[in-house]
Amino acid sequence: MKWPALRVIASIFLLASPGVAADLVIEPVTVTDWKAVYGRVETRDRVPARARLGGTLEELLVAEGDRVESGDQLGRVVDAKQDFQLRAIDAQIQAAQSRLENAEAELARGEELLQRGVTTVQRLDSLRTQVDVITNEIAAAQADRHVIEQQVAEGAIHAPLGGVVLDVPVTTGAVVTPGQTIATLGGGGVFLRLAVPERHATALVEGDAIRIEGPEGAHEGRLAKIYPLIENGRVIADVEVEGLSARFVDARVLVRLPVGEHQALMVPKDALITRAGLDFLNVAHEGDTVLRSVVPGPVHDVDGAAMVEILTGLRPGDVVVTGHE
């Protein structure tokens, strides 16, 4: 859809010099119908930072509104049982090392006795097997210790992406479970998400120009995507807007969507004459100028000029006299 366009058989009356009257032949023009809805500012990526370890949240380093980079530590979860597990494994390793030293000493004596012919080869093989078994027990215990150490390291919670912290639903000292959300992060920029009544779905076209009226003033956006699934009688659509403020996420912004077109009669806003609460226009009639009562409608911006739609009081072909004689 296009912005309202004006087709008039006249000169550009707005450029007429003051004190000079100009005639404007009224013809129907195509005007875009705009539907006012509220859009919601959303981040492109909204990712939860989850705890990989169950335990107690002993350290929380962020709060709502903080800016973080990808990989920054957000907090730390500690499981007290892991410290005891590490101590138990260390004790097992020490005991196995003591048995290994004794088995290696027995193997050395067995090799010496075999050279003297006092012991047998079978006895020596048994001693070698015993040394190998204890060595493998130590390796297994060390592997178990590495697993516990990795679990301890996973207690640190890191930011999955760079952005702003939107929500922190827990506090220091809270008991958390594996997979529980510690903080919700938003990043990747922002866009507008709309929920449009389904009766207007067929009028929406990707690429259409969208009017946005935010706290920073009016903007123009582009309808980037229309989702096929209708939820609760609403069509979900995304709007790309350059310079959209990311200060508040989920903020509501007034958006005007083009949903149709209609024919209208339009005159310059300055041509309206208001007297006693009524609106009039100077209309040429049989070689003279008469005041005709009209009912004005909404004002449209056409190429920087304020044009008002006339609902009743004018007909196509009427000649409106603008300016002052």
Side-chain angles (χ1 to χ4, degrees), residues 16-154:
S17 302
V20 177
D23 294 343
L24 173 65
V25 180
I26 299 301
E27 287 188 354
V29 297
T30 301
V31 177
T32 301
D33 296 325
W34 299 91
K35 170 67 176 177
V37 298
Y38 277 97
R40 193 173 66 249
V41 178
E42 292 194 2
T43 56
R44 299 184 185 279
D45 302 314
R46 183 176 294 195
V47 182
R50 302 182 184 274
R52 294 179 291 177
L53 177 69
T56 303
L57 185 63
E58 287 200 351
E59 190 176 19
L60 185 61
L61 304 177
V62 294
E64 290 86 348
D66 290 349
R67 294 277 177 177
V68 297
E69 298 295 332
S70 178
D72 287 352
Q73 184 170 341
L74 309 180
R76 184 168 60 89
V77 177
V78 174
D79 186 356
K81 299 188 298 294
Q82 292 175 337
D83 186 41
F84 296 110
Q85 291 173 345
L86 289 174
R87 293 181 184 179
I89 292 175
D90 289 340
Q92 293 174 5
I93 293 175
Q94 291 178 0
Q97 287 176 342
S98 298
R99 290 190 290 112
L100 178 61
E101 292 175 358
N102 183 55
E104 288 175 342
E106 290 289 339
L107 178 59
R109 284 194 295 270
E111 291 175 345
E112 183 179 350
L113 292 175
L114 181 62
Q115 293 176 356
R116 295 178 182 180
V118 178
T119 187
T120 62
V121 176
Q122 292 83 355
R123 172 60 180 169
L124 190 62
D125 291 340
S126 175
L127 292 176
R128 289 195 182 101
T129 301
Q130 186 176 0
V131 170
D132 292 339
V133 169
I134 297 175
T135 300
N136 292 333
E137 288 179 358
I138 294 175
Q142 289 175 341
D144 290 339
R145 194 180 199 285
H146 292 327
V147 171
I148 303 300
E149 289 174 346
Q150 179 61 31
Q151 291 177 351
V152 172
E154 290 178 353

